[in-house]
Amino acid sequence: QVQLVESGGGLVQAGGSLSVSCVSSGRSLSNYAMGWFRQAPGKERKFVASINSSGGNTAYADSVKGRFTISRDNAKNTVYLQMNSLKAEDTAVYYCAAAYLYGHPFIPNYWGKGTLVTVSS
């Protein structure tokens, strides 16, 4: 069983940066494609970014392209989302997800419980 735990959320001013992390407390993540989704208050959960198991391929939602970077360290069993030039509309709960297959759309098999990112304008 893959159990994902996110961390690193918090309050940041618009234009600032924040990094969130996701670690597995169960199985190794090295064989899974990983992704980040977010859900703003009153809105649907949406795809943010994904990365394949080796880290050689990534994909981003248009709304974050050029500002966010997904990466992974399989030795540390951790996936990261570096968020720069943050905007108020980036405010959301950010969810880590693991998938058996890397593809578009990214279809998760496991979810974390989320970490809240609040961007003040």
Side-chain angles (χ1 to χ4, degrees):
Q1 187 76 1
V2 175
Q3 295 176 320
L4 303 172
V5 179
E6 302 94 337
S7 62
L11 176 65
V12 62
Q13 288 188 333
S17 298
L18 195 67
S19 180
V20 291
S21 303
C22 172
V23 63
S24 171
S25 60
R27 291 183 182 174
S28 168
L29 296 179
S30 61
N31 292 325
Y32 293 88
M34 300 298 298
W36 287 95
F37 288 71
R38 68 185 182 186
Q39 187 167 16
K43 297 189 176 180
E44 294 182 347
R45 191 174 300 189
K46 292 186 177 181
F47 169 80
V48 174
S50 61
I51 188 167
N52 70 341
S53 58
S54 68
N57 288 294
T58 58
Y60 297 91
D62 287 344
S63 59
V64 306
K65 204 171 291 184
R67 299 188 298 123
F68 290 13
T69 302
I70 188 171
S71 62
R72 66 189 300 159
D73 185 337
N74 286 338
K76 294 183 177 180
N77 220 26
T78 303
V79 179
Y80 307 95
L81 184 69
Q82 175 66 42
M83 302 179 287
N84 298 327
S85 301
L86 282 160
K87 306 175 182 179
E89 51 263 42
D90 294 319
T91 295
V93 176
Y94 283 73
Y95 295 91
C96 178
Y100 297 129
L101 298 175
Y102 177 75
H104 309 291
F106 184 87
I107 309 297
N109 297 100
Y110 301 97
W111 291 96
K113 293 185 177 181
T115 185
L116 176 63
V117 173
T118 303
V119 183
S120 64
S121 57

